[in-house]
Amino acid sequence: MTAQPPSPRTVAGWILRRPTGLSEAEQLQLKTVLAHCPELDALTRHVRSFAVMLTERQGERLPEWLEAVRQDDLPSLHTLAAGIDRDLDAVIAGLTLPWNSGVVEGHVNRIKMLKRQMFGRAGFRLLRKRVLLYS
C-alpha cells in the first residue's frame, strides 16, 4: 500500500511557510513533491524569493525577480508579473520604503462602514456630521 499524496492545500501551506517553520517530515514530503513536479519547484523558488524581498525590504531586486519569473513557463506568475509591471515604480517603492498608507486606508474603511450603516436612511449632511463628530 502506498502513502496517500498530500492535498494541494497542504502543499501550498508548506510552500508559503518559512522553510525553517517546517518540521523535518514536512520538509522531506515537500522535497519529494517538488522532485516530481519541476513547475511546482520553480514556483516555490519564486514565491520564497519574493517573500524574502517583501520581508527584508529589497525592492531593488524586483526587476531581476520579474525577469526570472518570465523565464519559466508559469502562466499564473506571468499574470502577476504583468500586473506588477503596470505600476512598477509604486511596487518597488512599497517594497523598499518604510512608509505606508495604512492610516489613510483605515479612515476610508471607517467612512465606508458609516455610509453602509446609513444606507437609504439619510443624506450627505448626516454622513458628513457623523464623520466630523467621530474625528
Side-chain angles (χ1 to χ4, degrees):
M1 187 169 165
T2 61
Q4 187 170 357
S7 70
R9 179 177 288 209
T10 301
V11 174
W14 293 338
I15 291 171
L16 293 173
R17 271 192 272 155
R18 292 177 190 255
T20 56
L22 297 173
S23 70
E24 286 185 37
E26 291 170 333
Q27 287 179 8
L28 185 60
Q29 285 180 300
L30 179 60
K31 191 174 185 178
T32 303
V33 169
L34 297 181
H36 286 87
C37 183
E39 292 86 5
L40 203 53
D41 186 39
L43 176 74
T44 302
R45 284 194 321 273
H46 293 309
V47 166
R48 289 185 171 168
S49 175
F50 190 81
V52 169
M53 263 193 305
L54 187 65
T55 57
E56 296 180 9
R57 296 201 174 276
Q58 298 175 346
E60 65 279 355
R61 288 184 40 220
L62 186 61
E64 70 185 48
W65 182 85
L66 291 170
E67 189 57 37
V69 164
R70 288 188 185 94
Q71 298 302 317
D72 289 323
D73 185 27
L74 300 167
S76 57
L77 279 186
H78 291 178
T79 304
L80 174 66
I84 289 172
D85 276 336
R86 278 189 231 116
D87 207 0
L88 185 62
D89 291 336
V91 176
I92 289 174
L95 289 173
T96 308
L97 302 174
W99 303 289
N100 66 52
S101 61
V103 174
V104 173
E105 291 297 326
H107 289 299
V108 169
N109 276 339
R110 181 178 51 78
I111 290 170
K112 285 181 178 181
M113 186 249 334
L114 288 171
K115 188 176 175 184
R116 278 191 301 272
Q117 285 178 342
M118 295 173 36
F119 182 75
R121 292 186 183 86
F124 178 75
R125 288 187 349 192
L126 181 59
L127 175 62
R128 182 176 184 275
K129 190 169 190 170
R130 285 189 71 186
V131 168
L132 292 175
L133 286 174
Y134 185 86
S135 299

